[in-house]
């Protein structure tokens, strides 16, 4: 599916924690499900104390601790004292800026094409034209592909001195 329109926005995230379920060596969703099962998302959405939606993260090496690059979890405030499901870890993430890529709404059955279309747009986009470069020390964030809002990913960025 060719994505005709991509919406971009700079998002600032505060310092926060993320409650995550690590895989073994997964780099994407399908291998992650083979490693840890497909019920992680359900566990995250059932946590009553959370008011944020779950996320998928591609972790930089410094956050992996021998586990997978791709994980599922939820971001929480630094002072979060609620439940941590068995087998989940808590990591701290610094304050960071993200370039949010949001594709057009799509039919639910076309979610894979919507993801691939956004990935292609990300590969072609050069953030230096708006004074940023990609930050390799913060995780890339994927939100659940929901057709009515379009597919959304957040890529970490840092300001450059160029502009």
């Amino acid at each position: 599916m060719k994505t005709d329109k991509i919406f971009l926005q700079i998002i600032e995230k505060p310092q926060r924690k993320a409650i995550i379920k690590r895989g073994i060596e997964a780099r994407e969703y399908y291998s992650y499900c083979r490693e840890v099962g497909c019920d992680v998302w359900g566990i995250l959405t059932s946590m009553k104390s959370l008011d944020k939606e779950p996320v998928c993260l591609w972790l930089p090496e410094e956050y992996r601790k021998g586990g997978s690059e791709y994980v599922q979890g939820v971001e929480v405030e630094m002072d979060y004292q609620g439940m941590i499901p068995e087998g989940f870890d808590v990591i701290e993430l610094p304050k960071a800026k993200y370039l949010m890529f949001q594709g057009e709404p799509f039919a639910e059955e076309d979610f894979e094409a919507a993801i691939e279309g956004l990935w292609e747009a990300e590969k072609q986009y050069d953030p230096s034209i708006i004074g940023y470069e990609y930050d390799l020390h913060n995780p890339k964030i994927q939100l659940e592909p929901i057709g009515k809002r379009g597919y959304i990913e957040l890529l970490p960025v840092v300001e450059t001195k160029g502009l």
Side-chain angles (χ1 to χ4, degrees), residues 10-135:
I10 295 291
I11 303 288
E12 292 193 42
K13 289 188 162 279
Q15 183 180 9
R16 63 222 183 270
K17 292 179 182 176
I19 301 167
I20 62 168
K21 175 71 172 179
R22 296 180 192 276
I24 301 164
E25 51 188 41
R27 299 187 72 199
E28 44 73 35
Y29 174 77
Y30 293 110
S31 59
Y32 179 81
C33 282
R34 283 191 297 276
E35 292 176 3
V36 301
C38 293
D39 59 343
V40 174
W41 201 260
I43 292 168
L44 293 166
T45 58
S46 71
M47 294 172 65
K48 300 295 182 209
S49 60
L50 301 178
D51 61 352
K52 300 181 185 209
E53 75 177 279
V55 295
C56 300
L57 303 168
W58 281 271
L59 299 176
E61 187 64 43
E62 56 261 40
Y63 291 100
R64 294 184 200 161
K65 295 187 178 178
S68 63
E69 175 183 0
Y70 186 88
V71 300
Q72 291 183 347
V74 66
E75 296 174 315
V76 296
E77 285 74 24
M78 286 298 293
D79 62 354
Y80 177 78
Q81 297 295 315
M83 181 188 92
I84 308 296
E86 186 176 335
F88 283 67
D89 290 333
V90 178
I91 59 174
E92 289 188 15
L93 299 172
K95 178 179 176 180
K97 288 186 181 183
Y98 284 84
L99 182 56
M100 182 178 85
F101 287 78
Q102 180 177 7
E104 296 178 89
F106 59 89
E108 292 295 335
E109 62 271 12
D110 295 332
F111 75 95
E112 287 179 325
I115 291 169
E116 290 171 8
L118 193 81
W119 284 351
E120 195 56 42
E122 288 173 355
K123 286 180 204 169
Q124 295 177 32
Y125 187 75
D126 178 2
S128 69
I129 64 173
I130 60 169
Y132 289 90
E133 64 185 14
Y134 291 116
D135 176 1

